[in-house]
Amino acid sequence: MSDNLFAAAAEETRRARAPLAARLRPRTLDDVVGQEHLVGPGRPLRVLVESDRLSSALLWGPPGTGKTSLALAVAGSTERAFEQMSAVTAGVKDVRETIERAKQRLGERGQGTILFLDEIHRFSKSQQDALLPAVEDGTLTLIGATTENPFFEVNAPLRSRSTLFRLEPLDRKAIEQLVARGLQAEAVTADPEATTLLVDRSGGDGRQVLTSLDVACALSNYTHVELEHVEAALGTSALRYGQDDHYDVVSAFIKSMRGSDADAAVYWLARMLEAGEDARFIARRMVIFASEDVGLADSRGLEVAVAAAHALEHVGLPEAQLNLAQAAIYLATAPKSNRAALAIWNARAAVKDGAVGEVPAHLRDGHYQGAAELGHGAGYRYPHDDPKGWVDQQYLPESLAGRHWYEPSEHGDEGKIVMHKNPRSKGQQ
């Protein structure tokens, strides 16, 4: 009896001294903050858990998005036994022992077992293979968590037996909810500007914001958190960055790249990152810019921008700042042309204004039965059959013959583009 009391007291002490993020772990799916696309009413993960039909799953997402919290919430919402281990410290021996305990539970009282394996990507191929038989025969329900792309880091046989759930960075509303819960848990109040700074600098990482709040509360002596406490916890001064700054700074960033000023582009990029701007928003703006302002003057600009956006998802901040900076400098120094953007803008405007002529008969689909009788496809000339690789035939509706929406500039690679039948283009054949 005394041993049980001692163990209970030790557990209570451990919980009291645990970091705020650990103390706020959800107990059920209703306690989960964010990830509404997975745990909202009628959403896939919630339905599977509530009907107790959850099979093995992989939780994939950036750090601090709630993978461990979600696994614990699943555990609190099911009658199955729950075991947890980290691939950083566990080995094949631990896996086999867990499987044996699961078999014993299943045989003795018909109770299933959920194994939550954190950082599953750190398991070697042989370690992952050790899980396969138990997952396949239902002895274990595996929930693996990873920050890395499971298509690269998890064995195909194990991946094919698991449902993949993608977790997204927490949005502002979810982060604000976490901060409010943290303040309530610590029985502490806070100035609005202090909580705003915490939310702005979170980067969608719930664990990070709770860790910073934990420190800020301690610095306030658990009374009232002020801006200076949050600044000290974050190791940075507050940078004014309101709604107006959001639009003004990104506008300056885009205009600096458009003006081919790499130094200014990097400066405005730094301002946005330091202010806690959503890095995915920055990446999206560069992908748009690559087609809108660089275009065919340097088609590699789009490749670089898209690669930076993918790198951001794969690597995350702070390391992805290198990829974003490289892309910003490349786009700023690339030759510029907005002709591809003008082409689609002007073509859509023409369609809205009524330029909707009929598809010429020789361009219509001639593959279905009876098409030939209607004259569809008749007279079409296949460009690959011509030695030049193109033929002089009409592709626009008759009523729009001679209209031009794309006119290449003389800049960069676009100056080399040949526009057949366009007397205003360079290098007409």
Side-chain angles (χ1 to χ4, degrees):
M1 182 68 176
S2 59
D3 288 343
N4 291 336
L5 289 174
F6 179 79
E11 177 64 15
E12 187 64 29
T13 301
R14 185 191 65 79
R15 287 182 179 275
R17 293 180 178 178
L20 182 59
R23 283 181 277 140
L24 289 182
R25 294 284 193 201
R27 297 181 183 274
T28 67
L29 290 180
D30 291 331
D31 298 330
V32 174
V33 174
Q35 311 306 337
E36 288 294 319
H37 64 293
L38 297 180
V39 299
R43 304 311 296 171
L45 186 56
R46 176 178 285 273
V47 170
L48 289 172
V49 171
E50 289 181 342
S51 61
D52 201 23
R53 297 184 63 85
L54 180 67
S55 58
S56 292
L58 293 173
L59 306 179
W60 172 30
T65 52
K67 295 182 292 297
T68 302
S69 295
L70 193 52
L72 292 173
V74 169
S77 305
T78 179
E79 296 298 321
R80 304 185 211 185
F82 184 81
E83 296 216 21
Q84 181 176 354
M85 67 173 64
S86 171
V88 176
T89 56
V92 172
K93 180 175 180 290
D94 301 291
V95 171
R96 287 173 178 162
E97 289 175 353
T98 302
I99 292 172
E100 285 305 313
R101 289 194 295 272
K103 287 180 178 178
Q104 188 174 359
R105 291 189 196 98
L106 197 60
E108 291 180 354
R109 52 184 183 271
Q111 183 184 27
T113 299
I114 293 176
L115 169 62
F116 174 59
L117 181 57
D118 198 13
E119 301 197 65
I120 189 174
H121 59 275
R122 293 183 180 271
F123 257 14
S124 65
K125 183 178 184 300
S126 61
Q127 288 173 311
Q128 291 184 28
D129 284 343
L131 289 165
L132 270 175
V135 169
E136 193 164 29
D137 65 17
T139 301
L140 278 179
T141 296
L142 172 69
I143 299 180
T146 177
T147 56
E148 304 298 325
N149 190 328
F151 290 96
F152 300 145
E153 304 296 339
V154 179
N155 288 356
L158 194 58
R159 193 178 65 243
S160 67
R161 290 164 175 79
S162 306
T163 304
L164 179 62
F165 294 104
R166 179 71 187 271
L167 281 74
E168 302 293 341
L170 300 184
D171 60 21
R172 189 175 187 86
K173 181 181 177 181
I175 294 292
E176 289 173 345
Q177 189 176 349
L178 276 181
V179 172
R181 286 188 183 183
L183 290 170
Q184 184 179 17
E186 298 289 23
V188 170
T189 56
D191 289 335
E193 57 265 32
T195 57
T196 297
L197 180 58
L198 274 170
V199 174
D200 287 345
R201 298 300 174 86
S202 68
D205 187 328
R207 183 170 55 244
Q208 175 183 302
V209 77
L210 289 176
T211 299
S212 299
L213 178 60
D214 207 354
V215 175
C217 288
L219 293 174
S220 75
N221 199 26
Y222 297 96
T223 54
H224 182 76
V225 175
E226 299 178 358
L227 183 61
E228 63 185 57
H229 300 133
V230 174
E231 289 178 334
L234 294 171
T236 183
S237 298
L239 181 65
R240 186 180 68 84
Y241 196 80
Q243 192 75 347
D244 289 341
D245 299 289
H246 164 80
Y247 292 108
D248 289 343
V249 173
V250 75
S251 176
F253 174 59
I254 292 168
K255 289 171 180 172
S256 297
M257 289 192 296
R258 183 179 295 142
S260 300
D261 190 328
D263 290 308
V266 171
Y267 169 75
W268 294 118
L269 173 62
R271 276 279 296 270
M272 289 187 287
L273 292 174
E274 282 299 313
E277 181 64 84
D278 184 353
R280 292 177 300 166
F281 166 76
I282 301 172
R284 285 195 299 269
R285 292 307 310 171
M286 287 198 286
V287 171
I288 295 167
F289 179 91
S291 287
E292 182 177 350
D293 289 281
V294 175
L296 292 168
D298 185 351
S299 298
R300 290 166 296 183
L302 181 57
E303 296 175 13
V304 170
V306 170
H310 284 172
L312 174 63
E313 294 295 330
H314 187 68
V315 177
L317 291 175
E319 290 84 356
Q321 66 181 310
L322 306 175
N323 311 113
L324 296 175
Q326 178 181 342
I329 293 169
Y330 188 99
L331 295 173
T333 56
K336 306 296 190 296
S337 172
N338 69 343
R339 300 301 177 86
L342 287 174
I344 187 61
W345 292 337
N346 292 336
R348 292 193 68 172
V351 172
K352 287 180 181 178
D353 289 340
V356 288
E358 295 294 326
V359 176
H362 64 284
L363 298 183
R364 295 186 181 185
D365 181 17
H367 293 90
Y368 62 91
Q369 188 175 6
E373 296 177 14
L374 298 173
H376 290 187
Y380 174 67
R381 297 168 62 194
Y382 192 53
H384 296 295
D385 290 340
D386 191 283
K388 298 187 299 295
W390 73 281
V391 294
D392 187 5
Q393 64 183 333
Q394 186 168 311
Y395 293 98
L396 283 170
E398 183 65 36
S399 60
L400 300 176
R403 292 283 297 272
H404 300 287
W405 287 281
Y406 174 62
E407 300 183 24
S409 72
E410 297 290 326
H411 304 152
D413 295 337
E414 197 167 39
K416 306 171 187 175
I417 292 177
V418 175
M419 291 290 288
H420 303 297
K421 296 174 60 179
N422 186 345
R424 287 166 289 186
S425 70
K426 180 180 178 181
Q428 179 190 7
Q429 291 187 0

PDB file of all heavy atoms in Angstrom, residues 382-404:
ATOM      1  N   TYR A 382      -0.971  17.105 -89.111  1.00  0.00           N
ATOM      2  CA  TYR A 382      -0.185  16.709 -87.933  1.00  0.00           C
ATOM      3  C   TYR A 382       1.198  17.374 -88.013  1.00  0.00           C
ATOM      4  O   TYR A 382       1.993  17.044 -88.888  1.00  0.00           O
ATOM      5  CB  TYR A 382      -0.058  15.199 -87.924  1.00  0.00           C
ATOM      6  CG  TYR A 382       0.471  14.596 -86.644  1.00  0.00           C
ATOM      7  CD1 TYR A 382      -0.108  14.882 -85.417  1.00  0.00           C
ATOM      8  CD2 TYR A 382       1.545  13.699 -86.673  1.00  0.00           C
ATOM      9  CE1 TYR A 382       0.358  14.300 -84.248  1.00  0.00           C
ATOM     10  CE2 TYR A 382       2.021  13.117 -85.511  1.00  0.00           C
ATOM     11  CZ  TYR A 382       1.425  13.423 -84.304  1.00  0.00           C
ATOM     12  OH  TYR A 382       1.897  12.847 -83.151  1.00  0.00           O
ATOM     13  N   PRO A 383       1.525  18.318 -87.105  1.00  0.00           N
ATOM     14  CA  PRO A 383       2.780  19.065 -87.204  1.00  0.00           C
ATOM     15  C   PRO A 383       4.030  18.183 -87.208  1.00  0.00           C
ATOM     16  O   PRO A 383       5.024  18.516 -87.860  1.00  0.00           O
ATOM     17  CB  PRO A 383       2.749  19.981 -85.976  1.00  0.00           C
ATOM     18  CG  PRO A 383       1.300  20.175 -85.705  1.00  0.00           C
ATOM     19  CD  PRO A 383       0.662  18.860 -86.033  1.00  0.00           C
ATOM     20  N   HIS A 384       3.986  17.048 -86.500  1.00  0.00           N
ATOM     21  CA  HIS A 384       5.183  16.199 -86.425  1.00  0.00           C
ATOM     22  C   HIS A 384       5.501  15.529 -87.759  1.00  0.00           C
ATOM     23  O   HIS A 384       6.611  15.033 -87.952  1.00  0.00           O
ATOM     24  CB  HIS A 384       5.003  15.131 -85.342  1.00  0.00           C
ATOM     25  CG  HIS A 384       4.868  15.704 -83.966  1.00  0.00           C
ATOM     26  ND1 HIS A 384       5.876  16.384 -83.339  1.00  0.00           N
ATOM     27  CD2 HIS A 384       3.806  15.720 -83.102  1.00  0.00           C
ATOM     28  CE1 HIS A 384       5.477  16.780 -82.142  1.00  0.00           C
ATOM     29  NE2 HIS A 384       4.218  16.391 -81.978  1.00  0.00           N
ATOM     30  N   ASP A 385       4.534  15.509 -88.672  1.00  0.00           N
ATOM     31  CA  ASP A 385       4.792  14.928 -89.991  1.00  0.00           C
ATOM     32  C   ASP A 385       5.507  15.903 -90.917  1.00  0.00           C
ATOM     33  O   ASP A 385       5.971  15.509 -91.993  1.00  0.00           O
ATOM     34  CB  ASP A 385       3.469  14.497 -90.649  1.00  0.00           C
ATOM     35  CG  ASP A 385       2.857  13.289 -89.964  1.00  0.00           C
ATOM     36  OD1 ASP A 385       3.613  12.575 -89.271  1.00  0.00           O
ATOM     37  OD2 ASP A 385       1.635  13.063 -90.108  1.00  0.00           O
ATOM     38  N   ASP A 386       5.564  17.162 -90.522  1.00  0.00           N
ATOM     39  CA  ASP A 386       6.234  18.172 -91.352  1.00  0.00           C
ATOM     40  C   ASP A 386       7.702  18.284 -90.937  1.00  0.00           C
ATOM     41  O   ASP A 386       8.015  18.270 -89.739  1.00  0.00           O
ATOM     42  CB  ASP A 386       5.545  19.531 -91.177  1.00  0.00           C
ATOM     43  CG  ASP A 386       6.010  20.546 -92.202  1.00  0.00           C
ATOM     44  OD1 ASP A 386       7.130  21.083 -92.020  1.00  0.00           O
ATOM     45  OD2 ASP A 386       5.275  20.788 -93.177  1.00  0.00           O
ATOM     46  N   PRO A 387       8.624  18.376 -91.904  1.00  0.00           N
ATOM     47  CA  PRO A 387      10.058  18.484 -91.570  1.00  0.00           C
ATOM     48  C   PRO A 387      10.372  19.661 -90.650  1.00  0.00           C
ATOM     49  O   PRO A 387      11.323  19.611 -89.868  1.00  0.00           O
ATOM     50  CB  PRO A 387      10.721  18.647 -92.942  1.00  0.00           C
ATOM     51  CG  PRO A 387       9.759  18.044 -93.905  1.00  0.00           C
ATOM     52  CD  PRO A 387       8.400  18.326 -93.364  1.00  0.00           C
ATOM     53  N   LYS A 388       9.595  20.728 -90.735  1.00  0.00           N
ATOM     54  CA  LYS A 388       9.851  21.911 -89.902  1.00  0.00           C
ATOM     55  C   LYS A 388       9.310  21.736 -88.484  1.00  0.00           C
ATOM     56  O   LYS A 388       9.627  22.518 -87.593  1.00  0.00           O
ATOM     57  CB  LYS A 388       9.205  23.144 -90.538  1.00  0.00           C
ATOM     58  CG  LYS A 388       9.758  23.506 -91.916  1.00  0.00           C
ATOM     59  CD  LYS A 388       9.208  24.827 -92.403  1.00  0.00           C
ATOM     60  CE  LYS A 388       7.701  24.812 -92.558  1.00  0.00           C
ATOM     61  NZ  LYS A 388       7.250  23.887 -93.605  1.00  0.00           N
ATOM     62  N   GLY A 389       8.431  20.742 -88.270  1.00  0.00           N
ATOM     63  CA  GLY A 389       7.849  20.529 -86.951  1.00  0.00           C
ATOM     64  C   GLY A 389       6.637  21.400 -86.683  1.00  0.00           C
ATOM     65  O   GLY A 389       6.090  21.398 -85.588  1.00  0.00           O
ATOM     66  N   TRP A 390       6.183  22.179 -87.686  1.00  0.00           N
ATOM     67  CA  TRP A 390       4.965  22.970 -87.545  1.00  0.00           C
ATOM     68  C   TRP A 390       4.358  23.161 -88.919  1.00  0.00           C
ATOM     69  O   TRP A 390       5.033  23.020 -89.945  1.00  0.00           O
ATOM     70  CB  TRP A 390       5.242  24.330 -86.899  1.00  0.00           C
ATOM     71  CG  TRP A 390       5.935  25.305 -87.808  1.00  0.00           C
ATOM     72  CD1 TRP A 390       7.260  25.355 -88.126  1.00  0.00           C
ATOM     73  CD2 TRP A 390       5.318  26.361 -88.563  1.00  0.00           C
ATOM     74  NE1 TRP A 390       7.529  26.361 -89.004  1.00  0.00           N
ATOM     75  CE2 TRP A 390       6.345  27.016 -89.285  1.00  0.00           C
ATOM     76  CE3 TRP A 390       4.001  26.831 -88.672  1.00  0.00           C
ATOM     77  CZ2 TRP A 390       6.099  28.100 -90.119  1.00  0.00           C
ATOM     78  CZ3 TRP A 390       3.763  27.918 -89.500  1.00  0.00           C
ATOM     79  CH2 TRP A 390       4.805  28.544 -90.211  1.00  0.00           C
ATOM     80  N   VAL A 391       3.079  23.416 -88.957  1.00  0.00           N
ATOM     81  CA  VAL A 391       2.390  23.643 -90.231  1.00  0.00           C
ATOM     82  C   VAL A 391       1.551  24.903 -90.128  1.00  0.00           C
ATOM     83  O   VAL A 391       1.135  25.305 -89.036  1.00  0.00           O
ATOM     84  CB  VAL A 391       1.479  22.447 -90.602  1.00  0.00           C
ATOM     85  CG1 VAL A 391       2.308  21.203 -90.878  1.00  0.00           C
ATOM     86  CG2 VAL A 391       0.451  22.178 -89.518  1.00  0.00           C
ATOM     87  N   ASP A 392       1.321  25.518 -91.236  1.00  0.00           N
ATOM     88  CA  ASP A 392       0.550  26.752 -91.288  1.00  0.00           C
ATOM     89  C   ASP A 392      -0.933  26.408 -91.384  1.00  0.00           C
ATOM     90  O   ASP A 392      -1.452  26.145 -92.466  1.00  0.00           O
ATOM     91  CB  ASP A 392       0.998  27.574 -92.505  1.00  0.00           C
ATOM     92  CG  ASP A 392       0.346  28.951 -92.513  1.00  0.00           C
ATOM     93  OD1 ASP A 392      -0.353  29.267 -91.532  1.00  0.00           O
ATOM     94  OD2 ASP A 392       0.548  29.702 -93.480  1.00  0.00           O
ATOM     95  N   GLN A 393      -1.590  26.336 -90.218  1.00  0.00           N
ATOM     96  CA  GLN A 393      -3.030  26.083 -90.213  1.00  0.00           C
ATOM     97  C   GLN A 393      -3.666  26.897 -89.099  1.00  0.00           C
ATOM     98  O   GLN A 393      -2.981  27.360 -88.179  1.00  0.00           O
ATOM     99  CB  GLN A 393      -3.344  24.595 -90.051  1.00  0.00           C
ATOM    100  CG  GLN A 393      -2.918  23.974 -88.736  1.00  0.00           C
ATOM    101  CD  GLN A 393      -3.204  22.477 -88.687  1.00  0.00           C
ATOM    102  OE1 GLN A 393      -4.106  21.969 -89.335  1.00  0.00           O
ATOM    103  NE2 GLN A 393      -2.397  21.762 -87.904  1.00  0.00           N
ATOM    104  N   GLN A 394      -4.943  27.065 -89.169  1.00  0.00           N
ATOM    105  CA  GLN A 394      -5.635  27.933 -88.225  1.00  0.00           C
ATOM    106  C   GLN A 394      -6.060  27.152 -86.985  1.00  0.00           C
ATOM    107  O   GLN A 394      -6.679  26.094 -87.088  1.00  0.00           O
ATOM    108  CB  GLN A 394      -6.870  28.543 -88.893  1.00  0.00           C
ATOM    109  CG  GLN A 394      -7.564  29.576 -88.012  1.00  0.00           C
ATOM    110  CD  GLN A 394      -8.600  30.367 -88.790  1.00  0.00           C
ATOM    111  OE1 GLN A 394      -8.315  30.865 -89.888  1.00  0.00           O
ATOM    112  NE2 GLN A 394      -9.788  30.469 -88.231  1.00  0.00           N
ATOM    113  N   TYR A 395      -5.731  27.732 -85.815  1.00  0.00           N
ATOM    114  CA  TYR A 395      -6.089  27.088 -84.548  1.00  0.00           C
ATOM    115  C   TYR A 395      -7.149  27.876 -83.782  1.00  0.00           C
ATOM    116  O   TYR A 395      -7.798  27.332 -82.896  1.00  0.00           O
ATOM    117  CB  TYR A 395      -4.842  26.916 -83.677  1.00  0.00           C
ATOM    118  CG  TYR A 395      -3.845  25.937 -84.254  1.00  0.00           C
ATOM    119  CD1 TYR A 395      -2.744  26.376 -84.980  1.00  0.00           C
ATOM    120  CD2 TYR A 395      -4.012  24.569 -84.087  1.00  0.00           C
ATOM    121  CE1 TYR A 395      -1.827  25.479 -85.510  1.00  0.00           C
ATOM    122  CE2 TYR A 395      -3.118  23.661 -84.618  1.00  0.00           C
ATOM    123  CZ  TYR A 395      -2.026  24.122 -85.329  1.00  0.00           C
ATOM    124  OH  TYR A 395      -1.138  23.221 -85.862  1.00  0.00           O
ATOM    125  N   LEU A 396      -7.296  29.149 -84.080  1.00  0.00           N
ATOM    126  CA  LEU A 396      -8.316  29.954 -83.418  1.00  0.00           C
ATOM    127  C   LEU A 396      -9.644  29.829 -84.151  1.00  0.00           C
ATOM    128  O   LEU A 396      -9.686  29.449 -85.327  1.00  0.00           O
ATOM    129  CB  LEU A 396      -7.885  31.428 -83.394  1.00  0.00           C
ATOM    130  CG  LEU A 396      -6.839  31.829 -82.358  1.00  0.00           C
ATOM    131  CD1 LEU A 396      -6.343  33.244 -82.635  1.00  0.00           C
ATOM    132  CD2 LEU A 396      -7.399  31.739 -80.947  1.00  0.00           C
ATOM    133  N   PRO A 397     -10.750  30.152 -83.491  1.00  0.00           N
ATOM    134  CA  PRO A 397     -12.028  30.206 -84.200  1.00  0.00           C
ATOM    135  C   PRO A 397     -11.951  31.188 -85.371  1.00  0.00           C
ATOM    136  O   PRO A 397     -11.180  32.150 -85.335  1.00  0.00           O
ATOM    137  CB  PRO A 397     -13.007  30.700 -83.123  1.00  0.00           C
ATOM    138  CG  PRO A 397     -12.381  30.305 -81.826  1.00  0.00           C
ATOM    139  CD  PRO A 397     -10.910  30.430 -82.045  1.00  0.00           C
ATOM    140  N   GLU A 398     -12.761  30.951 -86.376  1.00  0.00           N
ATOM    141  CA  GLU A 398     -12.735  31.783 -87.585  1.00  0.00           C
ATOM    142  C   GLU A 398     -12.920  33.255 -87.255  1.00  0.00           C
ATOM    143  O   GLU A 398     -12.257  34.128 -87.818  1.00  0.00           O
ATOM    144  CB  GLU A 398     -13.841  31.316 -88.545  1.00  0.00           C
ATOM    145  CG  GLU A 398     -13.874  32.066 -89.874  1.00  0.00           C
ATOM    146  CD  GLU A 398     -12.619  31.829 -90.693  1.00  0.00           C
ATOM    147  OE1 GLU A 398     -12.092  30.705 -90.648  1.00  0.00           O
ATOM    148  OE2 GLU A 398     -12.169  32.784 -91.375  1.00  0.00           O
ATOM    149  N   SER A 399     -13.807  33.534 -86.298  1.00  0.00           N
ATOM    150  CA  SER A 399     -14.099  34.930 -85.956  1.00  0.00           C
ATOM    151  C   SER A 399     -12.951  35.619 -85.230  1.00  0.00           C
ATOM    152  O   SER A 399     -12.952  36.847 -85.086  1.00  0.00           O
ATOM    153  CB  SER A 399     -15.364  34.998 -85.096  1.00  0.00           C
ATOM    154  OG  SER A 399     -15.192  34.254 -83.893  1.00  0.00           O
ATOM    155  N   LEU A 400     -11.982  34.835 -84.747  1.00  0.00           N
ATOM    156  CA  LEU A 400     -10.863  35.414 -83.998  1.00  0.00           C
ATOM    157  C   LEU A 400      -9.541  35.275 -84.744  1.00  0.00           C
ATOM    158  O   LEU A 400      -8.474  35.532 -84.171  1.00  0.00           O
ATOM    159  CB  LEU A 400     -10.743  34.736 -82.626  1.00  0.00           C
ATOM    160  CG  LEU A 400     -11.962  34.853 -81.699  1.00  0.00           C
ATOM    161  CD1 LEU A 400     -11.725  34.060 -80.429  1.00  0.00           C
ATOM    162  CD2 LEU A 400     -12.251  36.301 -81.370  1.00  0.00           C
ATOM    163  N   ALA A 401      -9.586  34.860 -85.993  1.00  0.00           N
ATOM    164  CA  ALA A 401      -8.358  34.676 -86.764  1.00  0.00           C
ATOM    165  C   ALA A 401      -7.537  35.962 -86.782  1.00  0.00           C
ATOM    166  O   ALA A 401      -8.071  37.056 -87.010  1.00  0.00           O
ATOM    167  CB  ALA A 401      -8.701  34.249 -88.193  1.00  0.00           C
ATOM    168  N   GLY A 402      -6.254  35.813 -86.508  1.00  0.00           N
ATOM    169  CA  GLY A 402      -5.357  36.965 -86.514  1.00  0.00           C
ATOM    170  C   GLY A 402      -5.210  37.660 -85.183  1.00  0.00           C
ATOM    171  O   GLY A 402      -4.364  38.558 -85.041  1.00  0.00           O
ATOM    172  N   ARG A 403      -6.001  37.260 -84.180  1.00  0.00           N
ATOM    173  CA  ARG A 403      -5.866  37.878 -82.850  1.00  0.00           C
ATOM    174  C   ARG A 403      -4.633  37.347 -82.145  1.00  0.00           C
ATOM    175  O   ARG A 403      -4.264  36.181 -82.287  1.00  0.00           O
ATOM    176  CB  ARG A 403      -7.112  37.582 -82.006  1.00  0.00           C
ATOM    177  CG  ARG A 403      -8.393  38.246 -82.485  1.00  0.00           C
ATOM    178  CD  ARG A 403      -8.441  39.721 -82.121  1.00  0.00           C
ATOM    179  NE  ARG A 403      -8.449  39.933 -80.681  1.00  0.00           N
ATOM    180  CZ  ARG A 403      -9.556  39.965 -79.938  1.00  0.00           C
ATOM    181  NH1 ARG A 403     -10.754  39.756 -80.499  1.00  0.00           N
ATOM    182  NH2 ARG A 403      -9.500  40.197 -78.637  1.00  0.00           N
ATOM    183  N   HIS A 404      -3.957  38.205 -81.376  1.00  0.00           N
ATOM    184  CA  HIS A 404      -2.742  37.806 -80.649  1.00  0.00           C
ATOM    185  C   HIS A 404      -2.883  38.202 -79.186  1.00  0.00           C
ATOM    186  O   HIS A 404      -3.253  39.327 -78.864  1.00  0.00           O
ATOM    187  CB  HIS A 404      -1.497  38.481 -81.238  1.00  0.00           C
ATOM    188  CG  HIS A 404      -1.254  38.163 -82.670  1.00  0.00           C
ATOM    189  ND1 HIS A 404      -0.793  36.951 -83.095  1.00  0.00           N
ATOM    190  CD2 HIS A 404      -1.435  38.911 -83.796  1.00  0.00           C
ATOM    191  CE1 HIS A 404      -0.682  36.946 -84.416  1.00  0.00           C
ATOM    192  NE2 HIS A 404      -1.066  38.131 -84.863  1.00  0.00           N
TER     193      HIS A 404
END
